[in-house]
Amino acid sequence: MSGLGWLEGEAAALKGQSLWRTSRTLTGASTATPIVELDGERLLLLCSNNYLGLASDPRLGEAAAAAAREHGVGSGASRLVSGTGELHVQLEERLAAWKRSEDCVLFSSGYLANQGTIAALVGRGDAVISDALNHASIIDGCRLSGAEIGVYPHADVAACARLLHKARAAGRRRLLLVTDSVFSMDGDLAPLGELVPLARQHGAMVLVDEAHATGVLGQGRGALAQLGLEGQVDAIVGTCSKALGSVGGFVAGSRLLCDYLRNRARGYVFDTAPPPPVLAATLRALAILEAEPALSERVCRHAQRLAAGLQALGYQVMRPDAAVVPVLVGDSAAALALGERLRQRGVLALAIRPPTVPPGTARLRLCPMASHTDAQIEQVLAAFKAIRDEAAA
Ligand SMILES: *Cc1c(COP(=O)(O)O)cnc(C)c1O
């Protein structure tokens, strides 16, 4: 008898709560172009994190193909063994300069960057203070670290201050404040202008995760750049997997911090080095972003237009500070139903349900891309209008 018997009941329970997830296979040339193909239908894609349209940009494809021909597909080993090539060094230097920091460490993903960095910076006897809506990779890093975890209600600076004070008073050795800059499911910006000085006042380290701000805010350099706070935080985490159209994660900071992570972050030490084609693609993306700052302005403008239009139609929209536009629904089944109605009208957007978001706050998360035309954004609004009119009829 298999020990997996419990799975059937577990799966049935999730299905009963409309919480069972499946992935849909897109069949066209790309899963990241404005128009994608699902079950033979052409749909307008509104749920990709490919904010600038670079994931399907032929220039990145050419850079990746050339790197594969020249350097091969795999890197062959972890960075500290024999996996470090010239492209790794070049990309780390390029990212460090871009983030105005001394150095930068590449990881295979943003997930590993957060997990590895947090667990390297704090441990038993330390405290990590974390926003309630931080990304799962931050939560996992906190748990893995063994440090005491203090979670403050989303964006609540006063509660964060109390936790910092409490950790200090309890004699915790090191303190780490960690927050997303742009929150992935709510689309808002953390109150960094207050949090960063607060942390410094308590002598706490600060890690800011710029996954959804990289390439989007501050002319692409992120929310910290936009706010003039880049030099004030200890570690800036970013991902190459969203706006940069490639894959990978990174941590920018001081040379000593980065060298320490190269020794201590397990997701760096024990992971095979990122492969040459994705490094070349990321380098190309950075060059494009620098030459075309209008790309990041364009995706933000699309987000503002979507939010204003939906609000005017009577939908409950959360204010987008970057390019994530959440339409609040509440009930998981209702969010799925709205997603399905949109699909029938040619728009692909994803219903986000617990545990990704708190219970009772299921939503549709819309992400425009710079590669959408203005007409396509209006098409999305027209679909929402038709659904609203249908419901009112
Ligand atoms: C997507 C995301 C990550 C993980 O980045 P990957 O490169 O996809 O692993 C980390 N933090 C936040 C806030 C994210 O949205």
Side-chain angles (χ1 to χ4, degrees):
M1 205 173 75
S2 157
L4 275 178
W6 59 274
L7 259 181
E8 247 173 73
E10 198 73 9
L14 284 170
K15 286 174 186 168
Q17 298 166 68
S18 296
L19 293 179
W20 187 254
R21 298 149 188 242
T22 54
S23 63
R24 295 166 289 193
T25 306
L26 304 184
T27 48
S30 166
T31 62
T33 43
I35 308 262
V36 293
E37 229 178 271
L38 176 67
D39 298 332
E41 262 182 300
R42 285 161 60 80
L43 300 172
L44 196 47
L45 179 67
L46 261 298
C47 49
S48 176
N49 296 318
N50 176 27
Y51 293 119
L52 303 181
L54 294 176
S56 55
D57 189 304
R59 293 170 290 182
L60 269 67
E62 278 156 26
R69 278 192 296 270
E70 193 175 340
H71 304 284
V73 169
S75 57
S78 64
R79 292 289 303 276
L80 295 172
V81 177
S82 61
T84 299
E86 283 168 31
L87 287 175
H88 295 91
V89 177
Q90 211 181 318
L91 180 53
E92 287 183 336
E93 283 174 357
R94 185 80 176 70
L95 286 166
W98 193 51
K99 290 289 182 182
R100 309 287 193 265
S101 55
E102 278 180 11
D103 200 355
C104 179
V105 189
L106 271 176
F107 289 77
S108 290
S109 72
Y111 197 105
L112 281 174
N114 270 329
Q115 214 189 45
T117 303
I118 295 168
L121 291 179
V122 286
R124 262 182 208 86
D126 301 329
V128 54
I129 316 293
S130 173
D131 187 289
L133 295 189
N134 277 341
H135 190 260
S137 54
I138 291 179
I139 297 171
D140 292 357
C142 292
R143 290 178 182 159
L144 192 64
S145 75
E148 179 184 85
I149 305 168
V151 175
Y152 58 90
H154 179 50
D156 187 336
V157 178
C160 173
R162 284 194 293 276
L163 287 174
L164 283 165
H165 192 80
K166 200 176 119 210
R168 215 4 111 233
R172 300 285 168 240
R173 185 181 51 157
R174 301 181 203 136
L175 270 53
L176 171 67
L177 171 62
V178 49
T179 182
D180 285 3
S181 63
V182 171
F183 286 85
S184 47
M185 297 302 141
D186 283 38
D188 60 333
L189 191 57
L192 294 167
E194 294 166 82
L195 289 176
V196 173
L198 177 70
R200 293 178 73 83
Q201 207 181 309
H202 283 84
M205 301 175 280
V206 184
L207 182 155
V208 175
D209 178 355
E210 296 253 55
H212 289 279
T214 299
V216 177
L217 297 181
Q219 288 177 322
R221 279 173 38 229
L224 291 165
Q226 179 167 291
L227 298 167
L229 290 169
E230 267 171 329
Q232 308 282 310
V233 308
D234 300 292
I236 305 174
V237 171
T239 178
C240 309
S241 326
K242 289 172 178 151
L244 296 180
S246 176
V247 70
F250 60 87
V251 182
S254 72
R255 180 138 305 135
L256 183 57
L257 170 77
C258 291
D259 282 339
Y260 184 77
L261 293 177
R262 291 181 178 106
N263 280 272
R264 284 297 192 202
R266 294 170 67 82
Y268 175 90
V269 177
F270 297 104
D271 189 39
T272 297
V278 306
L279 304 175
T282 306
L283 280 163
R284 193 74 181 89
L286 289 169
I288 292 171
L289 191 52
E290 197 159 64
E292 302 173 32
L295 280 175
S296 53
E297 287 155 29
R298 185 172 167 76
V299 70
C300 291
R301 210 172 50 238
H302 280 341
Q304 292 300 325
R305 171 63 192 137
L306 274 177
L310 288 167
Q311 218 143 31
L313 289 169
Y315 287 94
Q316 198 182 340
V317 185
M318 302 166 81
R319 176 180 51 96
D321 283 329
V324 178
V325 185
V327 184
L328 205 59
V329 178
D331 177 62
S332 291
L336 284 175
L338 179 58
E340 179 53 26
R341 259 172 240 130
L342 272 172
R343 200 188 58 73
Q344 286 162 1
R345 297 190 175 276
V347 177
L348 185 60
L350 203 69
I352 309 282
R353 293 164 282 165
T356 308
V357 292
T361 70
R363 66 201 62 182
L364 224 65
R365 178 176 179 272
L366 302 178
C367 290
M369 302 185 280
S371 45
H372 282 130
T373 62
D374 292 352
Q376 286 172 327
I377 297 299
E378 296 308 316
Q379 200 183 320
V380 176
L381 291 173
F384 272 98
K385 179 174 187 303
I387 291 166
R388 184 205 62 178
D389 293 347
E390 208 174 71

